[in-house]
Amino acid sequence: MSASDAIAAVGPAQSRGVPTRGASQGPPGTGGRRRRPLSRREKRNLRVGLLFISPWIIGVTVFVIYPLVYSFGISLTQYSGMQTPTFIGLRNYVSAFLDPLVRTSVGNTAYYMLISVPLGLVVALLLALAMNRNVREVAIYRTLLYLPSLIPMFAMSFIFIVFVNPQFGIVNQFLGLFGMPDTNLLGEPRYAKIVMIVMAQLGAGNTALIYLAGLRNIPDTLYEAARIDGASRFRQFTAITLPLLTPTILFNLITGVAGAMMVFTEAYIMTNGGPDNSTLFYMLYLYRNAFSYGQLGFASALAVLLFLFGMVLAGLIYWLSRRFVNYDVSAG
């Protein structure tokens, strides 16, 4: 039998609904088809693929999933890290809601987040717009604007301690030009968090690079059409740049909120939570309970609550993003 005869013989059988070899009838409501088993080649490709991503799977399991499960288990116990954990149920969570220092640390962290994150998004966007200028020296500008973000936070904290020194710090010398007296900015509860918020903006270079990638992804033809229509630069920014940059803004917002929730290093080095607990952030209080007070069970409960709150907040931001995030490149 020739190949054409075989095709002709198979065709009418399929048209009459006769199942061919390799096809299987599935249960009603599934379209009459059942998912076919993987072939030998597909199984081999699956094994090879799993082998290549196994480092990622092992890393997530060891450094993410296991710590989460272990922390939740420890949060239900009284444990100092030395003796055997004693199961106490939800007592640590009840203590967390009743502890006044937890409320203080949550308030300080929320204050830092609500000011630092929006300010950081604006500062990073301005830096990205400067990096996106079509000038010959733009590479130098990008390097200079990005360099501060390469300084580790612990080193930046020590640098800022010198900057805001009430006797010889450059900040007080600058404020003295306007007739303001020397002030111990890190020793005043109303100024200490402001100093840390300002210091955080020096790390806006990383966020600015992400903004820059988003800006470079916007087609120039949209700006050319807007200029032909007589749109001003401000109108181009509000009608083209900002709407098409909203996916990047959403990403930077999520990462900024996550970073603000875990602020720790600057408070630990510069003020150690003072003065008057004005910089006692949530992570710093968690650290104290775990490694200074030996209350690993209570600290694990705080970590679990932080994780749950972060997940809820991220979900809320994603839900609200449907109203302002625009993925259509032809919008504007």
Side-chain angles (χ1 to χ4, degrees):
M1 179 184 295
S2 63
S4 59
D5 295 335
I7 294 174
V10 172
Q14 290 180 339
S15 63
R16 292 192 301 268
V18 178
T20 58
R21 184 179 180 182
S24 58
Q25 298 296 325
T30 60
R33 293 184 180 180
R34 187 183 306 166
R35 187 174 182 181
R36 65 176 181 83
L38 296 177
S39 64
R40 181 177 300 178
R41 181 176 181 179
E42 289 173 337
K43 290 181 180 179
R44 185 188 63 184
N45 292 338
L46 178 61
R47 289 193 297 267
V48 173
L50 291 175
L51 179 63
F52 274 101
I53 66 173
S54 59
W56 179 86
I57 296 176
I58 296 173
V60 170
T61 303
V62 174
F63 298 108
V64 178
I65 298 177
Y66 173 74
L68 286 175
V69 176
Y70 181 78
S71 296
F72 178 74
I74 291 297
S75 69
L76 302 176
T77 66
Q78 184 177 356
Y79 182 49
S80 65
M82 303 298 292
Q83 83 283 3
T84 303
T86 303
F87 181 78
I88 59 175
L90 300 176
R91 195 180 304 172
N92 286 324
Y93 293 94
V94 175
S95 300
F97 283 102
L98 297 178
D99 191 344
L101 288 180
V102 171
R103 292 193 292 269
T104 300
S105 63
V106 170
N108 291 333
T109 305
Y111 178 91
Y112 180 91
M113 181 191 307
L114 292 176
I115 297 180
S116 177
V117 174
L119 181 61
L121 292 177
V122 174
V123 171
L125 180 57
L126 295 177
L127 292 180
L129 291 174
M131 292 178 178
N132 199 38
R133 299 287 293 177
N134 189 17
V135 294
R136 183 167 49 183
E137 302 85 0
V138 66
I140 300 176
Y141 296 154
R142 291 175 182 174
T143 303
L144 294 177
L145 293 174
Y146 180 72
L147 276 178
S149 63
L150 296 178
I151 303 177
M153 184 54 66
F154 72 90
M156 185 65 70
S157 300
F158 285 111
I159 294 173
F160 251 73
I161 290 176
V162 178
F163 280 175
V164 300
N165 187 281
Q167 297 179 352
F168 53 82
I170 188 174
V171 174
N172 275 284
Q173 292 181 9
F174 175 77
L175 295 177
L177 299 177
F178 301 93
M180 299 182 64
D182 294 340
T183 305
N184 185 6
L185 298 177
L186 292 177
E188 292 287 339
R190 55 180 176 174
Y191 296 137
K193 284 194 291 289
I194 300 299
V195 171
M196 296 180 186
I197 291 173
V198 173
M199 184 181 68
Q201 309 316 311
L202 293 179
N206 290 320
T207 307
L209 284 184
I210 300 175
Y211 272 133
L212 180 61
L215 290 172
R216 305 290 290 181
N217 196 41
I218 300 176
D220 292 333
T221 54
L222 298 179
Y223 294 105
E224 294 174 0
R227 285 192 293 268
I228 293 174
D229 290 340
S232 63
R233 287 186 176 273
F234 180 77
R235 180 58 181 167
Q236 294 176 33
F237 176 78
T238 57
I240 299 176
T241 305
L242 204 57
L244 298 184
L245 208 59
T246 47
T248 309
I249 295 175
L250 175 63
F251 176 81
N252 288 331
L253 176 62
I254 294 290
T255 55
V257 168
M261 289 173 58
M262 296 184 293
V263 57
F264 168 78
T265 306
E266 48 267 56
Y268 179 75
I269 293 177
M270 299 174 71
T271 60
N272 196 25
D276 195 22
N277 291 328
S278 61
T279 58
L280 181 63
F281 297 117
Y282 192 89
M283 283 298 297
L284 179 57
Y285 188 55
L286 189 155
Y287 171 86
R288 285 183 178 180
N289 280 278
F291 302 106
S292 297
Y293 308 150
Q295 298 180 2
L296 291 179
F298 183 69
S300 297
L302 294 179
V304 171
L305 291 175
L306 179 64
F307 171 76
L308 294 177
F309 177 77
M311 293 295 291
V312 171
L313 186 58
L316 179 62
I317 293 175
Y318 274 114
W319 179 73
L320 293 176
S321 68
R322 299 177 182 176
R323 303 188 179 188
F324 68 88
V325 176
N326 179 20
Y327 294 98
D328 186 5
V329 76
S330 63

